[in-house]
């Protein structure tokens, strides 16, 4: 049984035409998307998997005509992670992107997926664009962004034992249960923060729930001081905090306040 999707096309007259098209077939039926098959004219197809290679169902795939505004074909991967979009028989080229939205500990998160290619697809040639859901690693391009989230720390400048620098704060983040993609998390510890739009932060942290402690290592004496920690906006500091990420635009972050005891 086919899957009905909607395509909105901004035509040359400027009017918006809404078309319904059968863009996918049930697994095992003729015409079902198969990422192992080569490109076919006027078809974009592919497969969505997680970092372990398992299929991802329900990923949102957007196939965008480079010529016209609001000309997207939007569909979702099936139970085998497959998708297939029929392109109009026009001399056009298309960009393909994908994202996945999941609930985790009562919050909703959306992740951009890693494409097998960032190039456009020429309609007459067709193309295969596969996607991988990664919870860590650098994104394609030169913008310095990562698939993992960031954990920002704001050091309070009170009760200081010596002159201090924000960049010498160190976090230990211990996963509480599996990560959002179901994989087993690992302790993130000792990584130097970098300066970001959110202030000093540890970047590219796989999204999960973490128990977090903080220390300060003196650059002059080498002494390590325990720090108190709390979530930004919460009332009380303590020796540790259990934290979930918040969605921030197309990224995720945890915001912490830390201070000397």
């Amino acid at each position: 049984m086919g899957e009905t999707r909607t395509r909105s096309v901004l035509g040359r007259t400027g009017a918006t035409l809404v078309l319904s098209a059968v863009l996918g077939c049930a697994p095992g039926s003729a015409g079902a998307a198969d990422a192992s098959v080569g490109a076919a004219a006027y078809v974009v197809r592919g497969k969505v998997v997680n970092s372990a290679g398992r299929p991802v169902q329900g990923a949102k795939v957007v196939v965008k005509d480079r010529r016209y505004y609001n000309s997207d074909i939007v569909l979702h991967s099936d139970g085998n992670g497959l998708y297939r979009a029929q392109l109009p028989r026009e001399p056009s080229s298309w960009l393909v992107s994908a994202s996945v939205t999941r609930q985790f500990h009562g919050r909703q998160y959306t992740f951009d997926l890693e494409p097998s290619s960032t190039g456009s697809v020429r309609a007459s040639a067709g193309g295969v664009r596969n996607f991988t859901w990664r919870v860590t690693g650098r994104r394609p391009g030169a913008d310095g962004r990562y698939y993992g989230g960031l954990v920002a720390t704001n050091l309070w400048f009170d009760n200081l034992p010596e002159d201090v620098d924000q960049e010498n704060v160190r976090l230990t983040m211990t996963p509480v249960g599996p990560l959002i993609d179901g994989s087993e998390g690992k302790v993130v510890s000792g990584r130097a923060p970098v300066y970001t739009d959110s202030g000093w932060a540890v970047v590219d942290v796989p999204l999960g729930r973490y128990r977090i402690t903080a220390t300060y290592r003196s650059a002059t004496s080498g002494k390590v001081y325990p720090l108190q920690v709390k979530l930004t906006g919460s009332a009380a500091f303590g020796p540790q905090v259990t934290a979930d990420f918040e969605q921030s635009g197309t990224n995720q972050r945890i915001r912490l306040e830390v201070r000397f005891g």
Side-chain angles (χ1 to χ4, degrees), residues 10-241:
L10 184 66
R12 293 175 177 82
T13 64
T16 300
L17 177 64
V18 179
L19 304 175
S20 292
V22 176
L23 298 178
C25 301
S29 64
D34 184 349
S36 66
V37 177
Y42 300 105
V43 171
V44 176
R45 72 179 88 203
K47 186 172 186 178
V48 184
V49 299
N50 62 18
S51 56
R54 292 189 290 271
V56 174
Q57 182 176 10
K60 179 181 179 181
V61 181
V62 178
V63 187
K64 184 178 184 65
D65 191 336
R66 298 187 67 180
R67 301 171 301 168
Y68 305 129
Y69 173 75
N70 196 30
S71 60
D72 301 350
I73 301 172
V74 180
L75 61 157
H76 293 81
S77 58
D78 65 17
N80 294 316
L82 303 174
Y83 75 91
R84 181 181 186 276
Q86 187 73 45
L87 304 178
R89 292 186 172 272
E90 300 173 2
S92 57
S93 62
W94 299 73
L95 293 172
V96 189
S97 61
S99 62
V100 65
T101 299
R102 291 289 186 268
Q103 295 283 336
F104 187 68
H105 291 294
R107 300 184 182 215
Q108 180 171 286
Y109 302 95
T110 299
F111 301 85
D112 294 331
L113 304 185
E114 182 182 68
S116 57
S117 172
T118 57
S120 60
V121 173
R122 186 161 50 91
S124 59
V128 175
R129 290 293 182 270
N130 300 317
F131 292 92
T132 303
W133 179 15
R134 300 199 184 282
V135 294
T136 186
R138 189 179 292 273
R139 299 177 186 232
D143 59 4
R145 299 171 67 203
Y146 296 88
Y147 289 112
L150 64 83
V151 182
T153 55
N154 177 41
L155 176 62
W156 286 32
F157 284 85
D158 57 358
N159 300 322
L160 301 182
E162 57 180 87
D163 290 337
V164 300
D165 294 303
Q166 294 262 14
E167 59 194 274
N168 293 325
V169 173
R170 294 294 184 269
L171 301 177
T172 298
M173 294 173 274
T174 303
V176 180
L179 303 179
I180 191 169
D181 64 348
S183 63
E184 183 180 354
K186 298 179 180 179
V187 175
V188 180
S189 180
R191 286 167 48 184
V194 298
Y195 195 74
T196 71
D197 291 341
S198 297
W200 289 98
V202 177
V203 300
D204 200 26
V205 179
L207 193 143
R209 172 173 284 180
Y210 288 92
R211 185 172 62 254
I212 303 174
T213 59
T215 59
Y216 183 90
R217 183 179 181 86
S218 171
T220 54
S221 68
K223 184 177 179 178
V224 177
Y225 299 90
L227 297 177
Q228 295 183 322
V229 60
K230 71 170 185 172
L231 289 171
T232 297
S234 63
F237 281 95
Q240 65 180 36
V241 65

